[in-house]
Amino acid sequence: MKRGISKDLFKSFLLSCVLFCVGACGTSVLPPDAPGNNKGNPPPGGGNPAPVGTTVKADTAFDRTGTLRSDGLFLSMVGSNFVIAGDEGDTNLGQRAIMSVVLNQVPAGANVTKAVLKVRRFISEGNPFGKFGAMTVDHINAVSSISAGNFLGGTLTQSIATINPPAGVNSNANLELDVTAQVKADLAAGRPISSFRFQFNNGPSLDGTFDQVFFFAEQNDETMRPTVTVTIAP
């Protein structure tokens, strides 16, 4: 999948890669039918859940986190350090960022009182907020797979959050979204992951220019990828 990054942004990307590649390399990936990651956290149903009365971290589901293009092409974070929302200038196709976390560390029947999705924005290219307006976030069902249908469909709850333009195009921004209701709904329904779709509803612009927002999705650094902090009542 062609990323469509400009020369200046590509230089920033290379610098980021140099910084990130200091971490560990060479990991295995769970098969697509077992949502999860490769950092020692088994797929849903395994592991040793934390006791109640504590805070646990729901780590990223690597194969359910990535960039979904409007033609159905999905590039997971297994093959890229970023997920993207916006449009591609060379194809004029829309892009939506799918972010998922594994819920296996939450004990069965736990009283979840708070769940916060933490995401770090990297940089913007072009003028996505100026052309498309605010970015919105949907709660979606991506348990079985991610395909063209997830670009618009699979929605569980629309517009659970709205993200406005950053203060500066090159500013790093830590985003925190309250997803308590969504995580509780996924647990109640027996879904092993919680998934969220970041999108510009008014894109693509079809003007042949790249207008997109990049979010970090780094396999080797949990502070640089989407996670959910879950608080459990005693």
Side-chain angles (χ1 to χ4, degrees):
M1 176 177 177
K2 189 173 181 180
R3 307 314 308 149
I5 303 177
S6 65
K7 290 182 178 180
D8 290 339
L9 189 59
F10 184 66
K11 292 178 181 178
S12 297
F13 169 77
L14 289 178
L15 178 59
S16 299
C17 288
V18 171
L19 295 174
F20 294 151
C21 285
V22 176
C25 298
T27 53
S28 61
V29 180
L30 292 172
D33 59 348
N37 61 36
N38 54 12
K39 295 299 164 187
N41 293 332
N48 297 309
V52 296
T54 188
T55 298
V56 298
K57 180 178 290 184
D59 204 353
T60 321
F62 287 4
D63 55 358
R64 297 292 191 275
T65 297
T67 303
L68 177 61
R69 209 166 64 176
S70 54
D71 63 353
L73 182 62
F74 178 67
L75 179 63
S76 79
M77 64 178 281
V78 174
S80 175
N81 287 331
F82 303 98
V83 295
I84 304 170
D87 69 4
E88 292 183 334
D90 55 348
T91 64
N92 281 324
L93 294 174
Q95 301 171 107
R96 296 187 169 184
I98 309 296
M99 305 187 195
S100 304
V101 297
V102 184
L103 300 177
N104 67 304
Q105 292 301 312
V106 181
N111 180 16
V112 174
T113 58
K114 190 76 171 179
V116 177
L117 173 64
K118 297 182 178 181
V119 180
R120 189 165 186 181
R121 183 173 54 234
F122 170 49
I123 199 171
S124 297
E125 181 178 22
N127 187 24
F129 290 98
K131 290 184 179 179
F132 308 138
M135 181 186 297
T136 61
V137 182
D138 291 344
H139 177 215
I140 67 172
N141 185 350
V143 172
S144 60
S145 65
I146 294 179
S147 63
N150 294 111
F151 192 82
L152 294 172
T155 307
L156 296 171
T157 308
Q158 289 185 324
S159 300
I160 65 170
T162 299
I163 301 172
N164 292 306
V169 173
N170 295 317
S171 64
N172 286 332
N174 293 309
L175 303 177
E176 294 191 357
L177 306 178
D178 187 338
V179 294
T180 307
Q182 291 70 44
V183 168
K184 292 178 71 172
D186 286 329
L187 290 169
R191 287 185 284 269
I193 60 175
S194 283
S195 301
F196 306 93
R197 182 175 57 217
F198 290 63
Q199 64 217 351
F200 289 104
N201 292 317
N202 295 325
S205 60
L206 305 179
D207 62 359
T209 61
F210 291 90
D211 299 293
Q212 47 196 7
V213 177
F214 292 76
F215 296 93
F216 284 110
E218 170 58 43
Q219 292 188 54
N220 296 318
D221 186 349
E222 68 177 22
T223 69
M224 303 292 279
R225 63 177 182 252
T227 61
V228 170
T229 300
V230 181
T231 302
I232 303 167

